[in-house]
Amino acid sequence: MDFSLTPEEEAFKKGVNDWLDENMKDLPDWYVRNDGSGPEPESDEYQEFNLEWHKKLYKAGFVGIAWPKEYGGRGATLMEQVIFNEEMAERRAPSGAGGLGVGWAGPTIIAAGTEEQKKRFLPKILSGEENWCQAFSEPEAGSDLANIQTRAVEDGDYYVINGQKVWTTMGMRADWAILLARTDFNPDIPKHRGISYFLLDMHAPGVTIRPLREMTGEALFGETFLDDVRIHKSLMVGEKNKGWYISMGTLEFERSNSNSAIGYLTTISNLIELAREMKRNGQPLSKDPVVRQKIAQFYIEANVAKYIGLRALTRQLRGQTPGPESSVGSLLIMELGQRLQDYAMSLQGPYSRLVRDSKHAIKNGSWQRSFLSSRGNTIMTGTSEIKKNIIAQRTLGLPRWV
Amino acid sequence: MNFELDEEQIMLKTSTRDFLEKECPKELVREMLEDEKGYSPELWKKMADLGWLGLSFPEEYGGADFTFLDLAVLMEECGRALVPGPLIPTIVLVGHTILAAGTEQQKQDILPRMINGELILTLAFMESNGSLEASGITVTAAPSGDNYIINGTKLFVPDAQVADYLLCVTRTTDGEDKENGISLFLVDAKTNGIDIEVLKTMTGEKLCEVTFNNVSVPGQNMLGELDKGWPIVQRMLNEAAVAESAWMTGGARWALETSIDYAKERIAFSRPIGSFQAIQHKLADMALEVEGATSIMYYAAWAISENHPDIPIAASMAKAWCGETYKHATYDGVQIHGGIGFTWDHDMHLYFKKAKASEVSFGDVDYHREIVAQLLDM
């Protein structure tokens, strides 16, 4: 057991921090103040801010750092990627605009794409020139993803796509999508064996996207309608009917949990600050024994998540298959994030009813916003219930219901 | 970055488990519940011969010079096997404290004989006020020539009935600052004036009331300096919390694994109950807690091994998390087993009761959460 970094890793960490010291000086006041006075996260202004930051990261070689050098990456080690993520989380640096492209589409193309696909797509993902979204879920295929009905029928050198997608993350701003569609219509084969993986041009004829307004009032997601959309065969990723396995593989690209946990430690500091500011009967809430118990428990849970994440990372660094700690880690992370946000509402008492742009709203209602978003935590990367099924059946070896 | 046990530690874990499965079966554990001594001298001798008692002590005293993390691995397996007797009191509460704060003479006198299994040691700390704070210490030690005279009553003293030495935490000065004026004495348990009464406990473990009535102790038996004993106690409490956390993690994992096995075998409504989501989700929650316990406990044990500044907060986080984990795992363990889980015959209640006892040893969950809050400057 050894938590120390090698001299090379220490040097890398210092390089990241020096760069952040230099470049975070230029961040706008509203970002530094973190008091809710900045633009709304979905607004054009915020997106532009994110893209500007992304370009800086890109120029400094900090986007897709673990990608191979020949495709514009840094060829960094997994450990360096983790150090980078952790430093970014700890310093509360903006995340940049890479999102799904860097986190999901790119790694999939690297792992399963053709040379041509790699050359065509990877550089523009890194530079932020092209935005990506994900078109997997459908109205009848959420947790039961293998039930997708969108059809891709061969027509010469093309596939013709018809169907509807939902929960298309960042769809309205996307240039390209990773898409799952059915290519084998035999009703007698298991559902997940007839699915293929495509790269879809969101500007192609027949693609319509409609914003889907969420409970936050904003629309981060969209509904995508595909009417006779033609996708060239060269844009299929991997083999025909093997899309399910490719998509399951890319789920494993979910980053190490240790940096999510470190992000939560920052949120907990903000929670402590809030508890110090809020007073009840003239006494700061941070002195209330019940509040102290609650916040200490969050801190403990975030650390437990961090160290679960570091055990998972150790296995990954050794090239071993994920152990039980990986599956439980993401469950804890998602549930914890939600509990933290719920408690931030409690601490505000009646002020929790006020939202952005209201007089008297604490931090301009930003906790209220993150509270509403957090209800999606336990749904979007697999519901907590599905995660528990997976832990029970794959990790603990309990029998499936048949 | 490497946060897993190394090969040697995995070997230690495996060999400990194999040994205990053979030498510490549940028949022995149950027999010891009724036994007057509460531990098996034969098993104790074997553990000494294997080098367990001296695992974390320097070679010069007959130890093996392993780390606290290695000891945590051993404690985890002992917790899984419910090894009866004062392992943590002898090794961690008193042995390590002598090593950390004792004079060379004290170390030479006691440690080699403790390590070879000759001496059993225990800690006389808590009193009827149940406090873990310095303000709770009221048993007095007053100077008299070259000796000190101890008076008062200690409570919840583990295994005093078989101990050769008691490490007694006393008050030698009573001023405004309660943390000043604490002194520690190694007291020969056979000294005149010591009265030991074994209390009846839910687990069957031996907890004692120890009364000191004008007990005379030579001044050279003082551990550390006069009035300056509290930091020694604090250091010990951190180690105790982590050793107990390791013990709890081992027990919680037993409860989880035993419940998984049962859920796979037990048929109800024509199918294994482990195929029901109600059971699967309970087990998934247990697995999360147990993996969490393993992670935070090993981190805390590593911090102690490295004398890392995180020791106090890591120890409190581990004790708080493991306290909940062991309890939940055995509560749900009983529930998943249904009627059989409620019987005396099934072993689950042994773990269930140990979980409740461990939960309050060296500070309960709320106590350690409050320490975490203090360390976060709240």
Side-chain angles (χ1 to χ4, degrees):
Chain A
M1 211 167 277
D2 180 8
F3 292 89
S4 61
L5 302 176
T6 65
E8 295 77 28
E9 288 162 355
E10 287 288 4
F12 175 77
K13 182 173 171 175
K14 184 173 182 304
V16 171
N17 272 301
D18 289 349
W19 189 86
L20 287 173
D21 284 342
E22 188 56 37
N23 287 274
M24 285 183 74
K25 276 192 277 190
D26 303 332
L27 288 171
D29 277 352
W30 58 261
Y31 188 88
V32 177
R33 282 200 308 270
N34 191 25
D35 60 357
S37 60
E40 295 204 58
E42 278 85 7
S43 64
D44 289 342
E45 196 188 340
Y46 200 97
Q47 297 303 322
E48 272 162 38
F49 158 71
N50 249 344
L51 187 61
E52 282 310 306
W53 178 255
H54 183 98
K55 283 182 187 160
K56 283 191 178 182
L57 285 173
Y58 173 68
K59 275 192 203 132
F62 286 133
V63 179
I65 60 173
W67 292 18
K69 280 185 182 157
E70 50 181 317
Y71 304 118
R74 198 187 187 101
T77 62
L78 175 61
M79 193 60 219
E80 287 170 337
Q81 175 77 67
V82 170
I83 292 167
F84 176 75
N85 293 346
E86 287 185 354
E87 293 307 305
M88 291 282 283
E90 201 168 309
R91 303 277 301 257
R92 207 180 64 80
S95 55
L100 270 161
V102 177
W104 206 332
T108 305
I109 293 169
I110 291 171
T114 62
E115 201 49 39
E116 190 191 344
Q117 287 167 352
K118 291 176 191 172
K119 292 222 164 72
R120 159 67 186 83
F121 293 108
L122 297 179
K124 289 188 175 175
I125 289 176
L126 290 178
S127 68
E129 275 168 81
E130 287 178 345
N131 286 317
W132 283 73
C133 67
Q134 182 234 51
F136 284 8
S137 300
E138 296 182 7
E140 301 300 326
S143 287
D144 183 12
L145 187 61
N147 195 41
I148 57 167
Q149 306 296 324
T150 294
R151 295 163 66 87
V153 179
E154 276 189 80
D155 179 17
D157 286 340
Y158 290 83
Y159 279 91
V160 179
I161 319 281
N162 277 289
Q164 184 193 343
K165 293 288 173 180
V166 73
W167 304 118
T168 317
T169 318
M170 299 298 284
M172 283 74 69
R173 294 176 192 277
D175 304 298
W176 287 86
I178 45 178
L179 169 81
L180 290 181
R182 189 163 295 288
T183 39
D184 188 331
F185 310 103
N186 179 356
D188 298 328
I189 59 165
K191 288 187 290 191
H192 60 274
R193 288 213 197 135
I195 295 170
S196 298
Y197 201 114
F198 295 95
L199 305 176
L200 164 71
D201 180 354
M202 290 296 283
H203 306 299
V207 178
T208 316
I209 181 145
R210 210 159 63 189
L212 184 60
R213 197 174 183 204
E214 301 116 33
M215 60 192 277
T216 57
E218 304 298 325
L220 182 64
F221 300 94
E223 283 180 294
T224 308
F225 299 89
L226 304 164
D227 297 305
D228 289 330
V229 179
R230 296 174 75 79
I231 299 185
H232 194 267
K233 281 184 172 170
S234 64
L235 293 174
M236 182 186 278
V237 181
E239 285 174 52
K240 186 180 175 184
N241 296 331
K242 294 280 193 270
W244 177 261
Y245 308 99
I246 295 167
S247 67
M248 290 299 113
T250 47
L251 281 177
E252 288 168 19
F253 289 123
E254 264 190 288
R255 294 208 187 94
S256 139
N257 289 319
S258 61
N259 60 299
S260 315
I262 287 166
Y264 285 161
L265 290 172
T266 313
T267 310
I268 292 166
S269 306
N270 295 336
L271 209 58
I272 293 174
E273 207 177 298
L274 178 64
R276 283 194 186 118
E277 284 162 15
M278 297 303 297
K279 299 217 165 44
R280 194 177 293 158
N281 302 326
Q283 171 101 317
L285 280 181
S286 58
K287 295 295 169 199
D288 179 295
V290 178
V291 173
R292 295 167 71 82
Q293 288 283 312
K294 277 274 191 188
I295 295 180
Q297 179 62 20
F298 290 139
Y299 184 80
I300 294 168
E301 288 181 33
N303 274 284
V304 165
K306 174 180 161 188
Y307 291 109
I308 288 177
L310 290 178
R311 279 174 67 217
L313 173 65
T314 299
R315 290 187 68 94
Q316 223 178 335
L317 289 170
R318 291 178 179 178
Q320 293 165 325
T321 52
E325 63 285 338
S326 305
S327 55
V328 299
S330 103
L331 175 63
L332 174 58
I333 284 282
M334 293 304 173
E335 296 271 338
L336 170 61
Q338 206 166 64
R339 286 197 288 270
L340 281 175
Q341 293 297 333
D342 180 59
Y343 200 60
M345 296 294 281
S346 298
L347 286 177
Q348 293 177 81
Y351 291 88
S352 67
R353 299 167 76 172
L354 304 177
V355 295
R356 189 181 171 90
D357 295 337
S358 164
K359 189 179 175 187
H360 300 302
I362 293 167
K363 272 180 100 174
N364 197 19
S366 43
W367 285 109
Q368 281 69 316
R369 225 213 104 82
S370 49
F371 160 71
L372 289 172
S373 305
S374 76
R375 302 320 293 177
N377 284 6
T378 51
I379 301 170
M380 55 191 176
T381 62
T383 62
S384 290
E385 290 70 25
I386 289 287
K387 282 182 179 158
K388 287 183 189 181
N389 288 353
I390 291 172
I391 294 167
Q393 290 164 16
R394 299 210 197 129
T395 307
L396 308 181
L398 291 162
R400 292 172 69 97
W401 176 280
V402 278
Chain B
M1 167 60 58
N2 168 17
F3 189 20
E4 275 301 334
L5 299 178
D6 63 29
E7 256 173 58
E8 221 173 320
Q9 287 159 338
I10 290 170
M11 266 171 55
L12 174 66
K13 197 172 174 51
T14 319
S15 63
T16 305
R17 186 175 297 188
D18 292 347
F19 171 82
L20 289 173
E21 277 174 4
K22 205 164 100 246
E23 302 289 340
C24 184
K26 291 298 176 322
E27 294 75 28
L28 178 75
V29 174
R30 285 171 181 265
E31 199 186 308
M32 287 303 119
L33 302 181
E34 314 289 337
D35 187 86
E36 259 185 33
K37 287 196 289 290
Y39 83 110
S40 153
E42 295 77 38
L43 178 59
W44 194 266
K45 182 75 177 60
K46 284 180 187 168
M47 293 193 296
D49 290 346
L50 284 172
W52 290 7
L53 303 179
L55 190 76
S56 48
F57 290 83
E59 282 168 19
E60 52 185 308
Y61 305 112
D65 220 2
F66 281 37
T67 65
F68 191 88
L69 178 61
D70 301 315
L71 181 67
V73 171
L74 184 77
M75 290 294 127
E76 193 185 355
E77 288 307 314
C78 291
R80 181 186 178 94
L82 293 172
V83 173
L87 269 183
I88 292 182
T90 299
I91 299 172
V92 180
L93 303 184
V94 186
H96 281 186
T97 307
I98 293 173
L99 187 64
T103 61
E104 192 50 42
Q105 187 62 44
Q106 288 166 338
K107 293 181 198 175
Q108 294 290 358
D109 278 351
I110 298 194
L111 297 181
R113 288 190 292 152
M114 178 226 108
I115 288 166
N116 72 19
E118 235 176 278
L119 294 183
I120 286 183
L121 315 174
T122 195
L123 175 75
F125 170 51
M126 205 175 253
E127 302 183 8
S128 61
N129 53 41
S131 170
L132 286 164
E133 306 301 326
S135 58
I137 304 299
T138 68
V139 167
T140 56
S144 165
D146 289 342
N147 290 359
Y148 280 82
I149 310 294
I150 302 181
N151 272 297
T153 302
K154 291 288 181 183
L155 208 54
F156 310 112
V157 180
D159 299 284
Q161 80 287 355
V162 292
D164 298 288
Y165 280 93
L166 307 165
L167 177 61
C168 188
V169 182
T170 67
R171 180 156 297 287
T172 36
T173 297
D174 197 7
E176 274 289 292
D177 178 6
K178 295 294 175 193
E179 295 189 0
N180 182 35
I182 301 289
S183 305
L184 280 63
F185 292 93
L186 279 161
V187 185
D188 184 333
K190 308 289 182 300
T191 317
N192 280 338
I194 295 180
D195 184 48
I196 295 170
E197 191 181 341
V198 179
L199 309 169
K200 274 179 81 88
T201 61
M202 195 170 71
T203 51
E205 67 193 325
K206 304 294 182 271
L207 284 179
C208 305
E209 180 186 68
V210 180
T211 311
F212 295 82
N213 188 8
N214 288 324
V215 174
S216 179
V217 185
Q220 74 225 34
N221 282 25
M222 188 188 290
L223 194 70
E225 286 177 58
L226 180 69
D227 288 341
K228 301 271 185 286
W230 188 245
I232 303 173
V233 174
Q234 285 180 307
R235 188 207 140 278
M236 174 199 68
L237 286 174
N238 284 329
E239 284 200 4
V242 179
E244 193 71 26
S245 296
W247 198 279
M248 291 190 279
T249 301
R253 198 172 279 283
W254 180 91
L256 171 66
E257 289 173 4
T258 304
S259 302
I260 292 170
D261 290 345
Y262 185 74
K264 286 178 184 169
E265 286 161 15
R266 171 70 179 172
I267 306 291
F269 307 99
S270 314
R271 57 177 79 238
I273 61 168
S275 65
F276 295 116
Q277 280 189 323
I279 301 292
Q280 291 194 346
H281 288 192
K282 229 185 235 312
L283 287 166
D285 287 336
M286 280 164 76
L288 192 168
E289 288 200 68
V290 173
E291 291 305 330
T294 307
S295 307
I296 196 77
M297 176 275 286
Y298 280 151
Y299 178 69
W302 174 84
I304 291 176
S305 297
E306 299 289 315
N307 202 19
H308 193 275
D310 268 2
I311 292 172
I313 200 162
S316 281
M317 291 196 297
K319 184 64 175 53
W321 180 272
C322 294
E324 298 269 33
T325 298
Y326 198 3
K327 190 169 75 173
H328 293 159
T330 54
Y331 283 15
D332 282 343
V334 169
Q335 184 69 19
I336 289 168
H337 280 77
I340 189 79
F342 191 63
T343 63
W344 189 265
D345 277 356
H346 197 280
D347 292 332
M348 191 62 79
H349 76 98
L350 303 174
Y351 289 87
F352 174 98
K353 290 167 184 170
K354 180 62 187 168
K356 284 307 290 175
S358 291
E359 185 191 359
V360 296
S361 295
F362 314 114
D364 64 10
V365 179
D366 291 355
Y367 173 85
H368 283 287
R369 281 195 201 117
E370 173 55 30
I371 290 184
V372 169
Q374 285 169 20
L375 292 170
L376 290 175
D377 279 331
M378 274 184 74

